[in-house]
Amino acid sequence: REGAAAVLRLETALAAVHLSRTEQRDPETVYNKCTVDKLVALCKGAVDWPRYLELVGKPQPTFVNIDSPPALAAASRILADTDPSVMRSYLRWHCARSCAPHLSTAF
């Protein structure tokens, strides 16, 4: 129960810093082209972006588009400040949720 409450607090904090649905529909708002170096600086080491891009098959893009640089920076800070036990609960929840459709009807 405590883990579920912590996950909900984390999800709420992440949602609070992201664009609203209306803002997400504005092409001017969500088009923010930047270099990978700028992306790395924006996230202050919270994500190893060069390694991630390599793993997804885009090892050296010239530019990337960030729909909301302030939201990404804030989310990076939130995740960096989150207790590892909460992160484990958060990741377990998302793993279980993504696998749920593939379970038999007994579940």
Side-chain angles (χ1 to χ4, degrees), residues 17-80:
V17 299
H18 280 79
L19 298 174
S20 70
R21 288 184 184 210
T22 302
E23 292 168 320
Q24 290 174 16
R25 289 191 293 264
D26 180 7
E28 295 294 320
T29 300
V30 297
Y31 185 72
N32 299 286
K33 189 166 113 173
C34 76
T35 65
V36 174
D37 288 341
K38 184 175 177 184
L39 175 62
V40 168
L42 181 68
C43 296
K44 294 183 174 43
V47 175
D48 184 352
W49 288 109
R51 178 74 175 131
Y52 171 80
L53 292 167
E54 179 184 323
L55 289 171
V56 297
K58 302 292 181 189
Q60 296 178 343
T62 306
F63 294 99
V64 295
N65 183 56
I66 304 169
D67 66 355
S68 175
L72 184 59
S76 295
R77 281 191 306 276
I78 291 167
L79 293 174

Side-chain angles (χ1 to χ4, degrees), residues 10 79-92:
L10 176 57
L79 293 174
D81 293 343
T82 298
D83 185 88
S85 66
V86 174
M87 284 303 300
R88 284 190 294 275
S89 294
Y90 175 80
L91 294 172
R92 270 194 302 271

